[in-house]
């Protein structure tokens, strides 16, 4: 795909991740963030992770020099092929920023929100020009490595923009997942939230520490989910008859009161258990070091998935 001009509004963890992904794809990025030191923070971040991106693979035209910062939303979006919005999770703020982008962006530009919770129908309500081009483009951290991006349209969205966005994100070596409809929290975050709530109950009840909860995922279901996801994993649990037998065998267990899906109250005691637990787990290793270790692991894991010719969201193909 030829080089495009892309706008990134909001340069926190997710916004900077998008900037890195877009630059690695050989595109030109115009960013806007009114926060103090936003420009300096972004350049520090890019300089830190660029060697990792070069290891993972960047386009021949990729360069940190393809980034510039704008003074206003209008300046950032007026030449953009796609606008990626990443401002804090406040409905009024997101709606206003998206409406401003809609006011000044080219008529054919895609406006994608990275929101982890709001539905596109809500976010496009204040757009007076082209609400049909407002979609959800929800990524996962670190954006510059993790391939999944969830795409969803709202009541006013023209599906052609979802297809256009899918093609673009695919060109960035991502795995765009176009949702059939829209729902608060989308797909990935709703599933993670369910596990997060259960984990908090387990820690709060004194059943296990944060380290023990993490171990229960990392050494067990997490290994399988990296390859197959929950449905295909349970398909194998049914033996030769697959999911049909699994449902017959373990379906009744769904009625057992194992889970506590309502979140526990985040008391000071529970907060301290979680904070102290994760401090103990990380020891004297800094967050930066943990991020570097995570990135190295993700690159190796994704290369392994490519070698196996198998991604969990796709149909299984035979592999010799």
């Amino acid at each position: 795909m030829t080089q495009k001009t892309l706008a990134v509004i909001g340069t926190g963890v997710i916004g900077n991740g998008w900037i890195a992904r877009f630059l690695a794809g050989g595109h030109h990025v115009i960013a806007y963030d009114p926060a103090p030191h936003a420009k300096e923070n972004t350049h520090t971040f890019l300089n830190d992770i660029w060697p990792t991106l070069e290891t993972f693979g960047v386009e021949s035209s990729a360069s940190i020099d393809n980034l510039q910062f704008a003074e206003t939303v209008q300046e950032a979006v007026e030449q953009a092929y796609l606008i990626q919005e990443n401002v804090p999770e406040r409905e009024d703020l997101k709606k206003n920023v998206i409406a401003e982008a809609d006011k000044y962006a080219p008529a054919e530009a895609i406006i994608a929100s990275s929101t982890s919770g709001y539905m596109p129908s809500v976010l496009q309500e204040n757009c007076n020009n082209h609400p049909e081009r407002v979609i959800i483009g929800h990524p996962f951290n670190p954006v510059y490595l993790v391939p999944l991006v969830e795409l969803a349209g709202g009541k006013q969205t023209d599906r052609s923009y979802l297809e256009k966005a899918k093609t673009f994100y695919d060109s960035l070596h991502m795995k765009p997942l176009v949702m059939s409809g829209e729902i608060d929290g989308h797909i990935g975050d709703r599933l993670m939230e369910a596990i997060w709530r259960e984990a908090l109950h387990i820690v709060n009840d004194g059943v296990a520490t944060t380290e023990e909860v993490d171990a229960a995922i990392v050494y067990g279901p997490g290994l399988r989910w990296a390859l197959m996801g929950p449905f295909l994993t349970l398909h194998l649990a049914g033996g030769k008859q697959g999911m049909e037998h699994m449902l017959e065998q373990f379906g009744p267990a769904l009625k057992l009161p194992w889970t506590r899906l309502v979140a526990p109250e985040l008391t000071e005691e529970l907060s301290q258990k979680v904070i102290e637990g994760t401090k103990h787990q990380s020891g004297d290793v800094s967050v930066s070091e943990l991020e570097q270790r995570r990135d190295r692991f993700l690159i190796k894991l994704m290369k392994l998935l490519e070698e196996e010719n198998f991604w969990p969201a796709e149909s299984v193909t035979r592999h010799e």
Side-chain angles (χ1 to χ4, degrees):
M1 183 173 285
T2 57
Q3 185 184 63
K4 298 185 182 302
T5 297
L6 310 169
V8 174
I9 311 299
T11 59
V13 172
I14 299 300
N16 280 336
W18 275 122
I19 290 173
R21 187 117 207 177
F22 293 158
L23 291 175
H27 298 290
H28 178 235
V29 178
I30 303 177
Y32 170 74
D33 192 321
H37 311 298
K39 182 177 181 179
E40 293 86 345
N41 292 339
T42 295
H43 279 286
T44 297
F45 167 78
L46 289 173
N47 286 321
D48 285 345
I49 62 106
W50 200 255
T52 298
L53 288 174
E54 289 181 321
T55 299
F56 190 48
V58 299
E59 297 297 323
S60 58
S61 58
S63 171
I64 294 177
D65 294 335
N66 287 334
L67 169 67
Q68 71 182 82
F69 268 75
E71 296 296 324
T72 63
V73 170
Q74 177 180 353
E75 182 186 350
V77 307
E78 57 190 1
Q79 302 176 57
Y81 173 83
L82 176 144
I83 298 101
Q84 193 77 43
E85 173 274 310
N86 318 278
V87 301
E89 291 286 303
R90 296 207 323 262
E91 182 181 325
D92 58 338
L93 176 60
K94 283 189 174 290
K95 289 171 71 172
N96 289 339
V97 168
I98 288 172
E100 188 173 5
D102 177 55
K103 181 178 180 180
Y104 295 112
E108 68 279 4
I110 304 164
I111 300 178
S113 174
S114 296
T115 181
S116 58
Y118 295 117
M119 293 192 293
S121 289
V122 173
L123 298 182
Q124 63 192 184
E125 287 177 345
N126 290 356
C127 296
N128 295 321
N129 291 351
H130 298 285
E132 70 277 1
R133 38 90 171 269
V134 176
I135 66 170
I136 297 301
H138 174 241
F140 290 80
N141 189 47
V143 182
Y144 53 88
L145 289 180
V146 177
L148 179 63
V149 55
E150 296 175 326
L151 307 182
K155 295 176 181 176
Q156 300 181 73
T157 302
D158 186 319
R159 192 165 184 86
S160 65
Y161 284 96
L162 287 171
E163 294 303 320
K164 185 177 176 182
K166 181 178 184 296
T167 298
F168 173 71
Y169 289 122
D170 187 68
S171 74
L172 297 174
H173 308 294
M174 301 189 78
K175 294 290 182 179
L177 190 161
V178 180
M179 295 173 56
S180 301
E182 58 177 330
I183 188 173
D184 290 320
H186 322 313
I187 301 173
D189 276 1
R190 288 177 73 96
L191 295 172
M192 290 192 297
E193 179 74 9
I195 293 176
W196 173 234
R197 291 177 181 181
E198 291 298 316
L200 287 176
H201 275 298
I202 289 170
V203 171
N204 193 46
D205 294 344
V207 176
T209 64
T210 59
E211 187 172 12
E212 291 164 346
V213 170
D214 280 356
I217 294 295
V218 170
Y219 302 129
L223 289 172
R224 301 181 301 190
W225 289 341
L227 179 66
M228 295 187 178
F231 280 107
L232 203 53
T233 294
L234 291 177
H235 175 63
L236 299 188
K240 292 183 178 180
Q241 294 178 315
M243 182 63 77
E244 182 178 0
H245 181 66
M246 197 288 299
L247 292 176
E248 292 175 357
Q249 186 81 1
F250 299 105
L254 292 172
K255 296 182 179 180
L256 297 177
W258 286 2
T259 60
R260 300 175 60 177
L261 290 179
V262 177
E265 182 181 353
L266 195 59
T267 61
E268 181 64 26
E269 181 183 4
L270 175 55
S271 295
Q272 286 305 307
K273 282 184 178 180
V274 173
I275 293 168
E276 293 304 318
T278 50
K279 278 185 179 179
H280 173 73
Q281 284 178 259
S282 56
D284 59 358
V285 180
S286 69
V287 170
S288 178
E289 290 176 285
L290 287 173
E291 288 174 338
Q292 291 171 18
R293 182 183 183 188
R294 174 203 63 192
D295 290 356
R296 289 195 302 271
F297 173 80
L298 286 173
I299 290 172
K300 291 177 182 177
L301 180 58
M302 286 187 286
K303 286 181 177 177
L304 177 60
L305 287 168
E306 290 289 355
E307 288 174 11
E308 287 293 319
N309 192 28
F310 192 103
W311 285 86
E314 300 168 2
S315 298
V316 181
T317 58
R318 290 192 179 276
H319 179 64
E320 299 301 329

